[in-house]
Amino acid sequence: MAKIDPYSITDQMDSTAISAMTQRLEDRGKNAFFLQMMNEYLDALEPAKLGRVLEVGCGTGVATRALALHPAFDGHIFASDLSADLVDVARRRADEVGCAEKITFSAGDALSLDNQDKYDAVIAHTVISHVPDYRSFVSSLGNAVSDDGTIVIFDGDYASITLGSEDSKDGTAFANAIINGVVANPTILREMPHVAKEQGLKVKQSFSYLLSEIGQANFFVDMFPSLPILIPKTGIADEEQVKTWIDQQLGYSADGTFFGSITYYSYLMQKA
């Protein structure tokens, strides 16, 4: 368990950390495989049938924009994040791509959802792994969705992160620093069927993915720049050590010996 997950307290992060997070979220959102995973759950939501959608922990709005721009979507999205700074970025990016009129952004605590409002779909895109009290979080999602609506939880199984290295101890140490340093709940996706049942939900559909890169890195290279800024904030490792690990992995990518993998899951759930 991380001492502190920077992504769980985005409203308390300084401008340097917010800038690093912004770059990471936007770079990841451009990755072809990541887009495939996101678009698959968005298509499964049947956007043409959606009127009101809530996204919690929207970050810079990658998933928000993707749904707003979906050719079948003609509804309205209410998107929130703890960080007013990230919400400002999300609002600007939505305006830049011409979908701002379909989105209402707000800054606030995703766990303090207004139970008076009900939504056709509630989306938590790469959020739950960073929420310390995930049971209350899932309960709040259930309270916000309409009786026949759908909850989407998409995230990485961060405990599965594997990084190869010439000396296996180096890759393992770096992977563990990521797992313990920037993720509050690295195994939550494995627990989700049980958590859903506890909260009166049932899994309607799920998708699973293995994202692996061998030889040269792309997805993982985009992950690395934020880590020397975020991991030291947790006390897991200092900036120099993190940069040493990154330089090592970049060297492997350059000479064609890189190995990295992580699994991702999407859950589409409804009230039982």
Side-chain angles (χ1 to χ4, degrees):
M1 182 67 69
K3 295 179 181 178
I4 179 173
D5 178 345
Y7 285 98
S8 72
I9 53 170
T10 55
D11 55 331
Q12 300 175 38
M13 290 291 100
D14 58 29
S15 59
T16 301
I18 291 296
S19 178
M21 290 177 178
T22 296
Q23 191 66 50
R24 167 59 181 150
L25 295 174
E26 289 296 309
D27 285 346
R28 184 178 65 182
K30 297 171 185 173
N31 179 271
F33 192 81
F34 195 84
L35 284 170
Q36 176 189 331
M37 295 188 290
M38 179 176 64
N39 288 332
E40 190 159 16
Y41 80 67
L42 290 177
D43 287 341
L45 276 174
E46 298 182 273
K49 298 180 179 180
L50 301 177
R52 290 164 50 84
V53 177
L54 174 67
E55 185 187 0
V56 295
C58 67
T60 60
V62 170
T64 322
R65 298 193 303 272
L67 177 57
L69 291 168
H70 194 289
F73 181 70
D74 195 34
H76 195 83
I77 307 166
F78 298 83
S80 67
D81 195 275
L82 284 175
S83 169
D85 294 325
L86 289 178
V87 168
D88 285 343
V89 174
R91 189 177 288 114
R92 289 198 304 273
R93 297 295 170 92
D95 188 58
E96 288 169 2
V97 298
C99 64
E101 74 281 355
K102 289 187 176 183
I103 310 167
T104 298
F105 288 105
S106 62
D109 186 351
L111 289 176
S112 300
L113 302 176
D114 182 356
N115 295 337
Q116 300 299 316
D117 293 326
K118 301 298 180 183
Y119 301 87
D120 301 312
V122 179
I123 299 172
H125 175 90
T126 64
V127 176
I128 197 167
S129 62
H130 303 294
V131 178
D133 188 0
Y134 57 84
R135 284 184 169 83
S136 293
F137 179 75
V138 174
S139 176
S140 293
L141 300 182
N143 290 337
V145 75
S146 63
D147 288 342
D148 59 351
T150 302
I151 297 168
V152 175
I153 291 179
F154 167 73
D155 217 326
D157 177 49
Y158 286 96
S160 71
I161 288 181
T162 303
L163 290 169
S165 57
E166 191 169 4
D167 181 340
S168 62
K169 293 179 182 179
D170 292 332
T172 299
F174 189 17
N176 286 339
I178 297 171
I179 293 166
N180 297 314
V182 292
V183 186
N185 305 306
T187 62
I188 181 57
L189 273 296
R190 305 176 189 186
E191 303 165 33
M192 188 50 57
H194 299 284
V195 174
K197 184 177 181 180
E198 289 173 6
Q199 301 303 325
L201 303 172
K202 60 182 178 182
V203 178
K204 179 178 70 171
Q205 192 173 7
S206 64
F207 302 100
S208 58
Y209 310 91
L210 171 63
L211 194 162
S212 63
E213 295 181 321
I214 299 174
Q216 292 184 318
N218 183 345
F219 179 86
F220 284 93
V221 167
D222 289 339
M223 176 194 292
F224 292 155
S226 66
L227 299 180
I229 298 169
L230 300 180
I231 289 179
K233 292 183 180 297
T234 71
I236 299 295
D238 60 31
E239 182 179 357
E240 182 178 355
Q241 177 61 74
V242 177
K243 286 183 175 179
T244 297
W245 284 327
I246 290 173
D247 287 344
Q248 183 182 59
Q249 293 296 324
L250 292 176
Y252 294 147
S253 182
D255 69 14
T257 59
F258 179 86
F259 180 94
S261 68
I262 180 175
T263 52
Y264 276 86
Y265 298 91
S266 296
Y267 285 93
L268 280 75
M269 301 178 291
Q270 293 182 320
K271 293 182 178 180

